[in-house]
């Protein structure tokens, strides 16, 4: 009868599995059972579970036994640190004066459960469960962005209605434009001086700017009058 693994280290809360292999003669009876024992601090072994060679499986609260002849498996569930100790299996043949054949000892070490990460060290914010101040900040950003978009849209609408040439003062301030300086342009009206036989129409006085009136003296050279015979 052999047992393995020889040493097993498992954290608390897990499970440990040991295998017990038996070897029997072909002529021996099939009336046998496998018992499992635990020793603590080199004390006398105490039976913790057992299964008959005719049963395929036994499910107990703490142990799960499975018959895979010639191998028997035991699973120790929901480990605690006080489960640490030495384990072994024993073969009992009922037709051989209840002789007990013990296996070697395997040692189980149950370590402390891994510490959980402190929530204050690594805060995790689940999606859809944001703090109130974060929600308020996001809402303010969205409202501000919406106001800017509406203002730009309104400015563009005003600019298009005015022909798209001169932007509105508010829009110019928003886009960094400067209002173009007002440049006064003087216009000059030119009249034509025509020497014709018919009389020239009078031009209203108000169309002739006072400061632009020019005077000229026409001097005709002395010549003999031209007669029709010429």
């Amino acid at each position: 009868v052999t047992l393995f693994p020889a040493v097993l280290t498992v954290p608390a809360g897990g499970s440990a599995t040991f295998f017990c292999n038996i070897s029997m003669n072909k002529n021996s009876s099939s009336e046998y059972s496998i018992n499992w024992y635990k020793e603590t601090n080199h004390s006398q072994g105490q039976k913790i579970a057992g299964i008959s060679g005719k049963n395929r499986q036994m499910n107990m609260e703490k142990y799960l036994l499975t018959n895979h002849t010639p191998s028997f498996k035991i699973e120790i569930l929901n480990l605690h640190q006080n489960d640490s100790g030495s384990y072994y299996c024993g073969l009992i043949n009922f037709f051989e004066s209840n002789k007990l054949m013990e296996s070697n000892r395997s040692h189980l070490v149950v370590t402390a459960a891994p510490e959980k990460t402190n929530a204050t060290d690594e805060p995790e914010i689940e999606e859809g469960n944001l703090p109130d101040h974060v929600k308020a900040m996001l809402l303010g950003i969205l409202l501000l962005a919406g106001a800017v978009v509406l203002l730009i849209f309104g400015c563009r609408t005003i600019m298009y209605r005015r022909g798209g040439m001169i932007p509105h003062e508010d829009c110019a301030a928003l886009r960094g434009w400067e209002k173009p300086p007002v440049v006064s342009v003087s216009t000059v009206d030119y009249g034509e001086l025509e020497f014709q036989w018919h009389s020239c129409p009078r031009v209203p006085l108000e169309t002739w700017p006072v400061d632009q009136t020019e005077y000229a003296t026409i001097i005709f050279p002395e010549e003999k009058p031209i007669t029709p015979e010429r």
Side-chain angles (χ1 to χ4, degrees):
V1 182
T2 58
L3 181 67
F4 69 94
V7 179
L8 194 59
T9 302
V10 183
S15 61
T17 303
F18 291 101
F19 295 90
C20 180
N21 292 337
I22 63 174
S23 177
M24 298 179 62
N25 296 327
K26 295 181 180 180
N27 297 328
S28 61
S29 172
S30 60
E31 295 292 332
Y32 64 91
S33 65
I34 298 293
N35 292 339
W36 295 90
Y37 304 88
K38 176 187 176 184
E39 291 180 351
T40 304
N41 297 327
H42 303 285
S43 62
Q44 184 177 2
Q46 297 180 354
K47 179 181 176 180
I48 57 175
I51 183 173
S52 170
K54 294 181 179 180
N55 294 335
R56 303 304 301 174
Q57 190 177 68
M58 288 191 64
N59 191 355
M60 305 170 65
E61 182 179 357
K62 182 69 176 178
Y63 308 100
L64 177 62
L65 308 179
T66 307
N67 181 356
H68 297 292
T69 306
S71 178
F72 292 81
K73 181 177 72 172
I74 182 173
E75 294 181 60
I76 308 173
L77 309 174
N78 192 20
L79 289 173
H80 300 281
Q81 287 188 303
N82 57 6
D83 291 323
S84 299
S86 297
Y87 292 82
Y88 64 96
C89 61
L91 172 63
I92 298 178
N93 193 332
F94 298 112
F95 293 94
E96 292 186 4
S97 302
N98 293 333
K99 182 179 179 180
L100 175 63
M101 299 179 60
E102 297 181 356
S103 69
N104 56 294
R105 271 57 173 171
S106 293
H107 193 64
L108 173 64
V109 178
V110 180
T111 60
E115 296 182 359
K116 295 182 179 180
T117 304
N118 193 350
T120 57
D121 296 338
E122 296 181 0
E124 295 182 359
I125 300 176
E126 297 181 359
E127 186 178 356
N129 192 19
L130 297 176
D132 293 337
H133 68 278
V134 177
K135 292 180 180 179
M137 182 177 64
L138 293 177
L139 181 60
I141 293 175
L142 291 176
L143 291 176
L144 181 60
V148 172
V149 171
L150 290 176
L151 183 58
I152 294 176
F153 180 77
C155 293
R156 292 177 64 89
T157 303
I158 294 173
M159 183 180 67
Y160 290 149
R161 287 182 179 179
R162 295 191 176 188
M165 299 298 294
I166 302 176
H168 193 265
E169 293 181 0
D170 295 337
C171 299
L174 179 63
R175 300 184 183 183
W177 293 344
E178 294 183 359
K179 186 177 180 180
V182 179
V183 180
S184 60
V185 179
S186 300
T187 58
V188 179
D189 295 331
Y190 296 93
E192 293 183 0
L193 182 62
E194 296 180 358
F195 295 94
Q196 298 180 355
W197 293 102
H198 60 79
S199 61
C200 295
R202 291 185 178 182
V203 179
L205 296 178
E206 57 270 11
T207 59
W208 295 89
V210 177
D211 54 351
Q212 295 185 4
T213 303
E214 296 181 1
Y215 299 91
T217 301
I218 302 175
I219 300 175
F220 295 94
E222 294 182 359
E223 292 182 0
K224 294 181 179 181
I226 298 174
T227 57
E229 289 79 10
R230 291 183 181 179

